[in-house]
Amino acid sequence: MIKKAVIPAAGVGKRFYPLTKAMPKEMLPLLDKPVIHYVVEEAVKSGLDEILIIVGHGKEAIID
């Protein structure tokens, strides 16, 4: 049974320039919540116990 999820969120997001210069692509809003929030919610709903999000430098918004 799967108990852990690894979410890679370390990319720069060059396809979304200049928008991603201001905020990380994972924090871009989709409807009313950031994209990363939807990913984590789905992982929790599926019954995962541990979620590891890999972030790159300069992505303090995700860590906060």
Side-chain angles (χ1 to χ4, degrees):
M1 182 180 286
I2 299 172
K3 296 285 184 179
K4 299 177 185 180
V6 178
I7 303 168
V12 179
K14 287 186 179 181
R15 288 182 285 172
F16 298 111
Y17 270 3
L19 187 59
T20 55
K21 284 209 175 237
M23 76 171 52
K25 67 181 182 287
E26 297 83 15
M27 296 302 291
L28 293 175
L30 181 66
L31 298 178
D32 59 344
K33 294 184 266 187
V35 174
I36 195 77
H37 194 263
Y38 287 105
V39 174
V40 172
E41 277 184 343
E42 285 296 318
V44 170
K45 284 181 187 177
S46 66
L48 298 177
D49 293 335
E50 297 179 37
I51 301 170
L52 175 67
I53 301 175
I54 311 290
V55 295
H57 62 84
K59 297 210 176 187
E60 287 81 20
I62 297 172
I63 296 169
D64 294 338

